[in-house]
Amino acid sequence: MASDCIFCKIIKGEVPSKKVYEDELTYAFHDINPVAPVHILIVPKKHILGIQEMESEDRELVGHMFYVAKEIADSLNLNPDESLKGGYRLVFNVGRDAGQSVFHLHLHLIGGRSMSWPPG
Ligand code: 5GP
Ligand code: ZN
């Protein structure tokens, strides 16, 4: 835990958040500034600065974050149907130039509208 980290404070309940899911390894909550009808952040309870700072021992944890994202997407009926319509986007921004603004690892789950590619 880092005392000056906003996401550590959210995990500890020191800063309020709209919780979506929690287990022993992860905490998920609605983004305060959503870019789509559904915008959820999945964060590890362990304070890791970002994907760039991920270590070998974190591989299972990051895999678990993807599984949690998929389960949340399922529960919100975001998963693509048989014709692959619908769906959602999972994003890690890595570094400031890629759009990372909070330096506690987080996976964006974005959905509820169609999206363009490439991203800006
Ligand atoms: P990044 O830009 O680092 O990839 O994503 C950080 C995300 O955290 C942004 O989408 C931003 O809106 C969100 N965020 C920043 N501070 C807070 C906060 O205090 N509460 C919540 N719920 N989201 C936050
Ligand atoms: Zn943190």
Side-chain angles (χ1 to χ4, degrees), residues 15-119:
V15 168
S17 66
K18 286 198 212 161
K19 176 166 128 178
V20 176
Y21 173 85
E22 181 175 14
D23 62 25
E24 68 280 7
L25 296 174
T26 63
Y27 185 83
F29 55 101
H30 291 279
D31 196 292
I32 204 167
N33 187 21
V35 299
V38 176
H39 188 170
I40 292 165
L41 302 173
I42 297 102
V43 306
K45 291 186 173 174
K46 178 181 177 185
H47 180 82
I48 301 169
L49 291 175
I51 284 290
Q52 189 64 31
E53 290 77 19
M54 179 188 169
E55 296 184 45
S56 177
E57 66 182 29
D58 301 320
R59 284 178 292 176
E60 263 189 48
L61 175 59
V62 173
H64 181 65
M65 290 168 70
F66 278 109
Y67 188 74
V68 166
K70 182 246 173 205
E71 291 281 287
I72 293 171
D74 247 340
S75 73
L76 298 175
N77 291 316
L78 290 176
N79 279 323
D81 63 20
E82 309 79 56
S83 60
L84 299 181
K85 288 221 172 74
Y88 54 92
R89 192 169 285 177
L90 297 176
V91 176
F92 282 112
N93 292 324
V94 187
R96 286 188 205 283
D97 278 355
Q100 187 175 1
S101 60
V102 175
F103 291 84
H104 177 130
L105 185 63
H106 51 282
L107 179 59
H108 294 261
L109 164 57
I110 300 165
R113 63 167 170 82
S114 60
M115 284 169 238
S116 59
W117 190 264

